[in-house]
């Protein structure tokens, strides 16, 4: 397996191996229950080896690549659409895969990489780069699915921002939100002014921090009263 090709081996689950009780038994055998659906075919319930799936999940590209799932010798081309993890321990408990149909467009969330942060004039001026998205839903043919979208922020000054429409998209790829009739061309990153810590003028000052000439222990006042 490489980051450009992901292949999983799975076993078809018979009807008696489905349901909550069966899923718990599968997990005790270090198997992850999953399902492959879509493509005009009936859903296929499968199980995948836990360690094999965990290894694939270590790669960000796994979530934006066409996957090959071998089910009892039959290959399925699919993308991962949902992953349920254990709320405390984080290991995968169930996965949903959607079949890929050649020539049919798909909706996928792909990661956004922001590059050039250190080179930005705003960064040099102590500005704060605020990224507002980590992934974006795109529509494209399976063969045009990008691994990620790159946003170059190296030219950003303080006060600059990028919107969805500023992203340079690969050929054949569109952003789902911008295709909607009521879609919003929202901000995805901005360069904010430096954060200045305010000092309270009325804050108590320790006597040790006040010069001795400014301190008055009452001696002069006592002399005047004698």
């Amino acid at each position: 397996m490489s980051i450009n090709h992901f292949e999983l081996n799975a076993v078809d689950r018979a009807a008696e191996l489905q349901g909550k009780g069966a899923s718990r038994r599968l997990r005790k055998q270090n198997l992850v229950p999953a399902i492959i659906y879509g493509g005009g075919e009936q859903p296929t319930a499968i199980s995948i080896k836990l360690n094999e799936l965990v290894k694939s999940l270590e790669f960000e590209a796994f979530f934006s690549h066409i996957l090959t799932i071998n089910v009892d010798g039959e290959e399925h081309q699919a993308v991962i659409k949902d992953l349920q993890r254990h709320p405390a321990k984080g290991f995968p408990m169930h996965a949903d895969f959607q079949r890929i149909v050649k020539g049919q467009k798909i909706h996928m969330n792909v990661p956004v990489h922001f590059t050039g942060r250190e080179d930005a004039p705003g960064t040099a001026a102590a500005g704060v780069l605020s990224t507002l998205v980590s992934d974006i839903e795109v529509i494209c043919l399976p063969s045009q699915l990008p691994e990620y979208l790159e946003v170059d922020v190296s030219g950003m000054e303080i006060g600059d921002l990028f919107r969805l429409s500023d992203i340079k998209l690969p050929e054949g790829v569109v952003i789902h939100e911008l295709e909607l009739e009521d879609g919003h061309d929202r901000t995805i990153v901005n360069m904010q002014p430096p954060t200045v810590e305010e000092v309270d003028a009325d804050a108590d000052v320790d006597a040790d921090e006040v010069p001795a000439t400014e301190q008055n222990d009452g001696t002069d006042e006592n002399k005047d009263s004698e």
Side-chain angles (χ1 to χ4, degrees):
M1 180 187 67
S2 71
I3 60 173
N4 294 316
H5 179 73
F6 294 93
E7 189 168 333
L8 296 171
N9 294 302
V11 175
D12 194 346
R13 288 188 288 147
E16 63 270 16
L17 294 178
Q18 298 182 38
K20 291 185 178 180
S23 294
R24 283 194 293 268
R25 290 193 293 272
L26 286 172
R27 296 186 188 106
K28 288 182 179 179
Q29 301 172 43
N30 290 321
L31 296 172
V32 180
I35 190 168
I36 307 175
Y37 65 88
E41 301 181 34
Q42 290 294 319
T44 302
I46 60 175
S47 59
I48 303 171
K49 290 182 179 179
L50 175 62
N51 60 347
E52 189 173 332
L53 181 57
V54 167
K55 185 177 180 180
S56 296
L57 293 173
E58 293 176 354
F59 298 92
E60 179 189 58
F62 180 78
F63 295 90
S64 56
H65 262 67
I66 306 301
L67 316 173
T68 299
I69 305 177
N70 296 309
V71 184
D72 296 335
E74 181 182 355
E75 289 190 353
H76 296 255
Q77 301 297 308
V79 293
I80 187 166
K81 295 297 289 184
D82 189 45
L83 180 68
Q84 180 185 351
R85 294 181 183 270
H86 189 280
K89 299 180 180 179
F91 60 81
M93 297 182 64
H94 191 278
D96 289 0
F97 298 94
Q98 180 182 341
R99 290 188 184 91
I100 294 303
V101 178
K102 187 176 181 180
Q104 186 177 98
K105 291 185 177 182
I106 57 174
H107 289 239
M108 282 292 292
N109 280 61
V110 298
V112 180
H113 291 180
F114 296 94
T115 62
R117 179 192 303 255
E118 299 303 322
D119 299 325
T123 301
V128 179
L129 188 76
S130 177
T131 57
L132 306 177
V133 299
S134 58
D135 57 68
I136 292 174
E137 183 178 356
V138 301
I139 307 173
C140 62
L141 293 171
S143 60
Q144 298 171 320
L145 180 64
E147 182 177 325
Y148 58 85
L149 298 177
E150 184 174 309
V151 178
D152 182 5
V153 300
S154 61
M156 292 187 71
E157 304 268 3
I158 291 178
D160 287 350
L161 57 82
F162 281 160
R163 300 183 183 277
L164 287 173
S165 58
D166 295 318
I167 300 176
K168 294 181 179 179
L169 299 169
E171 183 178 356
V173 178
V174 298
I175 294 176
H176 175 247
E177 192 168 348
L178 296 181
E179 295 297 297
L180 300 174
E181 186 175 341
D182 57 348
H184 176 53
D185 189 13
R186 56 194 170 99
T187 299
I188 59 172
V189 59
N190 57 41
M191 183 69 76
Q192 300 178 2
T195 302
V196 179
E197 184 177 350
E198 295 184 1
V199 178
D200 187 353
D202 297 327
D204 293 336
V205 179
D206 194 301
D208 292 337
E209 298 178 1
V210 180
T213 55
E214 296 183 13
Q215 296 187 30
N216 186 348
D217 60 3
T219 303
D220 293 338
E221 183 177 342
N222 293 336
K223 286 184 178 180
D224 292 338
S225 62
E226 290 178 354

